């Protein structure tokens, strides 16, 4: 049995994983899909002081309180920054890092460094009434939709879980200065459906930090693949849990 910890991206909540969780649990795995501070059941905690460090603390605290080990830590989108810094703090508890269409930072980098369009969002927040709230990205006509979701019913469901992102989440740097993190195997899952203008993806190096060939998988769908392709995503995550450290590139 593996332990999966699924970390949602900006503007979302833990509810976005509702279609994936039962598929993993049905195979006997333990699955946690918390909402980060400021979202979902923690929406009342949203404030200008909430940042990347807050969300890293959320996940580190959960892992320690639940005494989790060999965690398959999955970060979607912005949460690539979160899981990187979590692994930096508690590498001995992480069995695998999965970057799900995610930002993949170097030490000291912010969301702006990884995804430059984030600066535009920061500027919008600075010019808003509050000065710190970044609203969800707007819906676009197909094939882009709302975070890659184009089915009307799915879009309506997704809207119920979206809320503003504090600007500090985009400004605080990720930390990856612990040499022990290099031993943790990584998998990158890219959503290769329609990509909105301005969104970029860094190339993944041929080798992981641990020296193994990089593992890169693709899903032919939009950004929120946990909503649009939950079965296919779950199958890839199950393969991660079965393959262990020495898995080959695909």
């Amino acid at each position: 049995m593996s332990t999966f910890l699924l970390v949602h991206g900006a503007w979302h909540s833990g509810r976005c994983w509702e279609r994936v969780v039962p598929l993993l649990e049905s195979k006997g795995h333990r699955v946690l899909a918390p909402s980060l501070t400021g979202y979902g059941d923690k929406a009342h905690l949203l404030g200008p002081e909430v940042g990347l460090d807050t969300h890293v603390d959320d996940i580190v605290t959960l892992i320690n309180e639940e005494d989790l080990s060999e965690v398959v830590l999955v970060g979607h989108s912005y949460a690539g920054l979160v899981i990187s810094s979590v692994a930096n703090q508690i590498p001995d508890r992480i069995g695998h890092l999965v970057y799900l269409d995610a930002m993949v930072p170097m030490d000291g980098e912010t969301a702006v460094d990884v995804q430059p369009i984030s600066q535009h969002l920061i500027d919008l927040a600075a010019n808003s009434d509050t000065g710190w709230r970044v609203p969800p990205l707007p819906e676009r006509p197909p094939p882009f939709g709302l975070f890659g979701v184009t089915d009307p019913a799915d879009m309506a469901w997704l809207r119920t879980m979206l809320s503003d992102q504090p600007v500090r989440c985009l400004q605080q740097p990720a930390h990856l200065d612990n040499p022990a993190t290099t031993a943790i195997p990584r998998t990158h899952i890219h959503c290769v459906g329609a990509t909105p203008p301005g969104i970029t993806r860094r190339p993944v190096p041929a080798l992981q930090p641990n020296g193994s060939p990089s593992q890169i998988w693709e899903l032919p769908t939009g950004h929120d693949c946990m909503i649009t392709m939950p079965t296919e995503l779950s199958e890839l995550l199950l393969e991660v849990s079965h393959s262990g450290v020495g898995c080959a590139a695909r």
Side-chain angles (χ1 to χ4, degrees), residues 171-185:
Q171 295 173 318
Q172 288 184 325
H175 299 289
L176 293 97
D177 56 356
N178 185 343
T181 62
T182 61
I184 303 172

Side-chain angles (χ1 to χ4, degrees), residues 66-121:
E66 295 289 329
D67 195 23
L68 304 179
S69 61
E70 290 299 309
V71 176
V72 179
L73 186 59
V74 182
H76 178 242
S77 195
Y78 152 80
L81 302 173
V82 178
I83 67 170
S84 296
S85 288
V86 169
N88 194 67
Q89 288 194 32
I90 48 172
D92 56 312
R93 291 184 176 268
I94 310 302
H96 205 111
L97 291 171
V98 180
Y99 291 89
L100 179 58
D101 218 35
M103 298 184 184
V104 185
M106 303 291 284
D107 181 43
E109 288 190 326
T110 69
V112 175
D113 297 311
V114 183
Q115 190 64 256
I117 197 174
S118 301
Q119 184 61 53
H120 174 65
L121 303 178

Side-chain angles (χ1 to χ4, degrees), residues 27-232:
K27 300 299 183 181
H29 302 292
R30 185 179 183 187
V31 187
L32 298 89
S35 290
L36 299 171
T37 295
Y39 306 97
D41 59 344
K42 301 182 183 71
H44 61 288
L45 300 175
L46 185 71
E49 73 285 352
V50 174
L52 173 60
D53 291 349
T54 311
H55 294 156
V56 173
D57 288 344
D58 287 342
I59 302 303
V60 170
T61 298
L62 176 61
I63 291 173
N64 286 330
E65 288 183 346
E66 295 289 329
D67 195 23
L68 304 179
S69 61
E70 290 299 309
V71 176
V72 179
L73 186 59
V74 182
H76 178 242
S77 195
Y78 152 80
L81 302 173
V82 178
I83 67 170
S84 296
S85 288
V86 169
N88 194 67
Q89 288 194 32
I90 48 172
D92 56 312
R93 291 184 176 268
I94 310 302
H96 205 111
L97 291 171
V98 180
Y99 291 89
L100 179 58
D101 218 35
M103 298 184 184
V104 185
M106 303 291 284
D107 181 43
E109 288 190 326
T110 69
V112 175
D113 297 311
V114 183
Q115 190 64 256
I117 197 174
S118 301
Q119 184 61 53
H120 174 65
L121 303 178
I122 292 172
D123 294 341
L124 288 177
N127 294 322
S128 69
D129 292 339
T130 66
W132 61 269
R133 297 178 77 116
V134 180
L137 297 178
E139 297 177 22
R140 295 173 178 263
F144 305 119
L146 183 63
F147 295 99
V149 178
T150 56
D151 178 80
D154 287 347
M155 292 174 69
W157 179 56
L158 176 56
R159 288 187 205 103
T160 67
M161 68 184 80
L162 296 179
S163 55
D164 291 350
Q165 176 91 341
V167 72
R168 289 190 72 185
C169 297
L170 306 177
Q171 295 173 318
Q172 288 184 325
H175 299 289
L176 293 97
D177 56 356
N178 185 343
T181 62
T182 61
I184 303 172
R186 301 180 175 196
T187 293
H188 301 262
I189 302 177
H190 295 163
C191 298
V192 295
T195 301
I199 301 297
T200 59
R201 177 184 291 123
R202 286 177 168 175
V204 177
L207 296 178
Q208 300 183 41
N210 65 6
S212 299
S214 289
Q215 181 162 263
I216 307 166
W217 295 337
E218 295 182 348
L219 288 172
T221 189
H223 187 54
D224 278 5
C225 59
M226 72 288 290
I227 294 175
T228 58
M229 297 187 75
T231 300
E232 294 83 354

